[in-house]
Amino acid sequence: EDCSESVCPGDCSGHGSCNAYTDKCDCNDGWMGPSCSLISCHQSGDEGVCSDNGYCEDDGHCRCSYGWQGEKCNHRKCPNACYGRGECKEGVCLCESGYE
């Protein structure tokens, strides 16, 4: 041994640090996997992964549950996308004039 090789896989891909006690990578925010080479799904503050409104796919993107949308699955969908005659605000259509 000449101390030239990291015991952590892929030297944590530059997205984490090697934990000397566990010989495993501690990934930076936004990265996951044994070598920190996978983009992680969104999690922020007290919200769970994908805002608890979906699940994390292998590619690190959220797959939203029915009724939810957005990169973090944190926006409610509107019925029928307001038929293109309004703006969706947290699951409620704000209709254009002349529509309800």
Side-chain angles (χ1 to χ4, degrees):
E1 292 186 27
D2 64 1
C3 304
S4 64
E5 296 291 320
S6 173
V7 294
C8 286
D11 200 23
C12 304
S13 304
H15 302 294
S17 58
C18 188
N19 186 314
Y21 298 104
T22 64
D23 292 339
K24 294 182 179 179
C25 293
D26 290 333
C27 300
N28 296 337
D29 286 342
W31 297 93
M32 65 182 195
S35 64
C36 302
S37 60
L38 302 172
I39 297 172
S40 68
C41 285
H42 300 279
Q43 181 173 0
S44 61
D46 294 334
E47 291 181 350
V49 173
C50 302
S51 303
D52 294 328
N53 299 316
Y55 64 91
C56 187
E57 294 193 320
D58 291 340
D59 65 359
H61 291 92
C62 291
R63 169 77 64 177
C64 301
S65 300
Y66 181 80
W68 294 92
Q69 65 185 1
E71 192 174 315
K72 300 177 185 180
C73 299
N74 59 343
H75 297 289
R76 288 190 177 275
K77 280 187 174 180
C78 284
N80 301 308
C82 305
Y83 291 98
R85 298 182 188 111
E87 184 180 353
C88 182
K89 290 286 188 179
E90 292 307 310
V92 176
C93 289
L94 304 176
C95 302
E96 294 174 352
S97 179
Y99 293 94
E100 56 178 39

